[in-house]
């Protein structure tokens, strides 16, 4: 449904693609509230259990939406449109947010806006100052994706590189699991690595050009730990900090190298990083230093807008609202939703 409005409104957005239930309210492009309920039911399973995630979304969604409205000091009648994450993500989780948003749109007679979660991660950079200027290069590193995207406009996003197997966040989480860390392991690795040194060298991926691969690192870490434990059963406990520092350094080095290669190739001077892994302190530091050395500007979003949140969905919905790009009530949740073509 297209109906160019050119006017900004007040939008309530819901994010439920994985294991965080979140609701945000945006007015004229400014975030008024952003509420996130995390799910700790997955911690002991080493990953997100889809069935448990959808159940937790069901119990969180009403209080989370209520709180977002309260914090925004608004009533449901004052909302101009309802947005939801259509994909990519877990089907059962996506359905909860999609159906809830549709119910609200139907009950109030207001339009519905569907948002692509990956496009939204990048638009988190438009919530606070300083905002990058178009065109710029964005590296998105999350639990499910690793993508290099040329941003030509808020909704004009060109994918130029991606992972061929595991995502960067998955590499953190799977390696962390081998070290006995709870899911998601990224934050714990970040913390432990500060006490260690990258003394163990793990292989960097050999994938050419702008694509990534992290499954080789996972296997290398697995065999390395197995062999060292044979020699010393306490190896893991005695070397946890150095192991985390080495794993983190290997991942960050690859991400920085490929980002710089992409920036050189595309001739872009502004670089942004988004997604949960972009909170990582070493990645931030190494990216900052590479940008400084090459005279580039680096844009980092506030951590609350890097990990999954509805504020980024609201920001993407804001741009769609301006264009009058509304969804049909039968727009179905789509676990493998692709990016739209760049022309929009
Ligand atoms: O963007 P996000 O919240 O959800 C997805 O869309 O996947 O990203 C979650 C990922 C997890 O893999 C988690 O381990 C990782 O982000 N992560 C981190 C850090 N904080 C979260 N990885 C490394 N260092 C961190 N500080
Ligand atoms: Zn995400």
């Amino acid at each position: 449904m297209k109906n160019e409005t050119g006017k900004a409104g007040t939008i309530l957005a819901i994010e439920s693609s994985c294991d965080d239930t979140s609701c945000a309210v945006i007015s004229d492009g400014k975030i008024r509230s952003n509420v996130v309920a995390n799910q700790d039911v997955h911690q002991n399973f080493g990953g997100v259990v889809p069935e448990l995630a959808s159940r937790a979304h069901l119990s969180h969604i009403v209080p989370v939406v209520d709180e977002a409205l309260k914090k925004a000091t608004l009533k449901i009648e004052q909302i101009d449109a309802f947005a939801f994450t259509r994909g990519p993500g877990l089907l059962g989780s996506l359905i909860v947010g999609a159906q809830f948003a549709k119910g609200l749109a139907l009950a109030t007679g207001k339009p519905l806006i569907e948002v692509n979660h990956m496009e939204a991660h990048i638009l988190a950079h438009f919530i606070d100052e300083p905002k990058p200027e178009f065109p710029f290069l964005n590296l998105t590193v999350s639990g499910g994706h690793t993508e290099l995207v040329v941003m030509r406009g808020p909704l004009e996003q060109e994918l130029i590189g991606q992972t061929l197997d595991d995502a960067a966040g998955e590499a953190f989480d799977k390696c962390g699991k081998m070290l006995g860390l709870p899911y998601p392991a990224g934050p714990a690795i970040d913390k432990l690595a500060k006490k260690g040194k990258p003394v163990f060298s793990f292989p960097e991926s050999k994938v050419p050009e702008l694509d990534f691969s992290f499954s080789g690192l996972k296997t290398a870490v697995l065999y390395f730990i197995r062999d060292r434990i044979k020699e010393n059963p306490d190896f893991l406990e005695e070397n946890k900090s150095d192991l985390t520092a080495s794993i983190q350094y290997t991942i960050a080095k690859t991400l920085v190298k490929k980002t710089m290669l992409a920036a050189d190739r595309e001739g872009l001077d502004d670089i942004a990083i988004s997604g949960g892994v972009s909170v990582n302190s070493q990645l931030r530091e190494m990216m900052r230093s590479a940008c400084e050395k090459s005279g580039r500007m680096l844009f980092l979003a506030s951590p609350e807008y890097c990990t999954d949140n509805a504020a980024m969905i609201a920001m993407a919905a804001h741009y769609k609202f301006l264009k009058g790009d509304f969804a049909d009530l039968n727009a179905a949740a789509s676990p493998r939703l692709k990016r739209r073509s760049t022309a929009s």
Side-chain angles (χ1 to χ4, degrees):
M1 215 193 298
K2 286 233 174 194
N3 165 32
E4 302 266 339
T5 64
K7 274 194 221 137
T10 295
I11 306 163
L12 182 144
I14 295 170
E15 153 63 30
S16 70
S17 65
C18 191
D19 59 342
D20 296 306
T21 319
S22 181
C23 179
V25 177
I26 192 168
S27 287
D28 300 335
K30 298 259 172 307
I31 297 295
R32 298 174 69 126
S33 64
N34 178 43
V35 178
V36 184
N38 305 118
Q39 304 180 356
D40 42 21
V41 287
H42 310 286
Q43 274 193 359
N44 297 328
F45 295 95
V48 176
V49 183
E51 181 58 32
L52 295 180
S54 9
R55 282 165 197 252
H57 281 305
L58 277 175
S59 59
H60 289 162
I61 194 134
V62 172
V64 164
V65 170
D66 258 354
E67 201 184 327
L69 276 169
K70 243 181 237 143
K71 283 196 168 156
T73 59
L74 287 172
K75 297 217 166 2
I76 202 88
E77 305 78 51
Q78 293 169 284
I79 303 294
D80 298 316
F82 295 92
F84 67 100
T85 303
R86 185 170 177 208
L90 300 170
L91 180 60
S93 294
L94 289 166
I95 285 175
V96 177
Q99 296 308 101
F100 203 86
K102 284 180 198 175
L104 291 171
L106 203 58
T108 55
K110 298 289 171 57
L112 191 65
I113 300 174
E114 59 165 75
V115 171
N116 179 309
H117 183 87
M118 297 314 296
E119 291 178 356
H121 260 304
I122 306 179
L123 296 173
H125 285 286
F126 293 85
I127 296 174
D128 287 332
E129 298 293 340
K131 300 178 171 89
E133 279 180 22
F134 300 108
F136 68 93
L137 177 70
N138 190 92
L139 169 74
T140 308
V141 270
S142 70
H145 294 79
T146 302
E147 296 186 344
L148 278 165
V149 173
V150 177
M151 293 292 292
R152 303 194 193 284
L155 302 170
E156 290 167 49
Q157 308 193 359
E158 186 192 349
L159 181 68
I160 57 167
Q162 61 187 318
T163 184
L164 304 178
D165 41 54
D166 290 349
E170 233 171 329
F172 272 104
D173 296 337
K174 287 179 177 171
C175 291
K177 191 177 175 190
M178 293 175 212
L179 304 183
L181 301 173
Y183 175 86
I189 291 182
D190 197 349
K191 208 166 149 200
L192 270 172
K194 290 196 169 84
K195 295 189 217 147
K197 290 208 164 55
V199 293
F200 305 115
S201 76
F202 294 118
E204 260 192 88
S205 104
K206 299 272 187 298
V207 176
E209 308 293 323
L210 302 178
D211 287 330
F212 301 84
S213 164
F214 290 105
S215 65
L217 170 66
K218 176 185 65 186
T219 314
V221 171
L222 180 73
Y223 289 153
F224 180 78
I225 294 174
R226 188 197 60 183
D227 294 346
R228 292 298 180 100
I229 284 180
K230 273 188 204 151
E231 296 160 10
N232 168 15
D234 297 327
F235 175 76
L236 200 57
E237 283 317 311
E238 288 170 6
N239 294 279
K240 226 176 220 179
S241 325
D242 286 346
L243 278 166
T244 54
S246 308
I247 292 164
Q248 179 174 277
Y249 176 69
T250 311
I251 298 172
K253 193 164 69 174
T254 305
L255 294 173
V256 173
K257 201 194 265 180
K258 295 268 178 172
T259 305
M260 292 303 139
L261 179 65
D264 283 344
R265 204 168 281 189
E266 297 290 325
L268 295 170
D269 290 334
D270 280 4
I271 293 181
I273 50 175
S274 46
V277 180
S278 72
V279 176
N280 186 267
S281 51
Q282 188 168 25
L283 174 62
R284 288 185 165 215
E285 208 178 288
M286 286 170 68
M287 197 67 90
R288 193 176 287 128
S289 127
C291 284
E292 262 169 33
K293 268 190 208 137
S294 57
R296 295 190 162 100
M297 284 273 284
L298 177 65
F299 294 84
L300 299 165
S302 133
E304 67 174 309
Y305 301 134
C306 292
T307 48
D308 284 351
N309 66 88
M312 67 186 198
I313 306 299
M315 188 49 76
H318 163 72
Y319 289 112
K320 291 189 121 184
F321 187 92
L322 287 176
K323 294 176 66 198
D325 189 351
F326 299 123
D328 215 75
L329 270 178
N330 59 22
S334 177
R336 285 184 225 287
L337 186 66
K338 293 265 185 293
R339 293 170 161 283
R340 288 149 321 119
S341 74
T342 58
S344 65

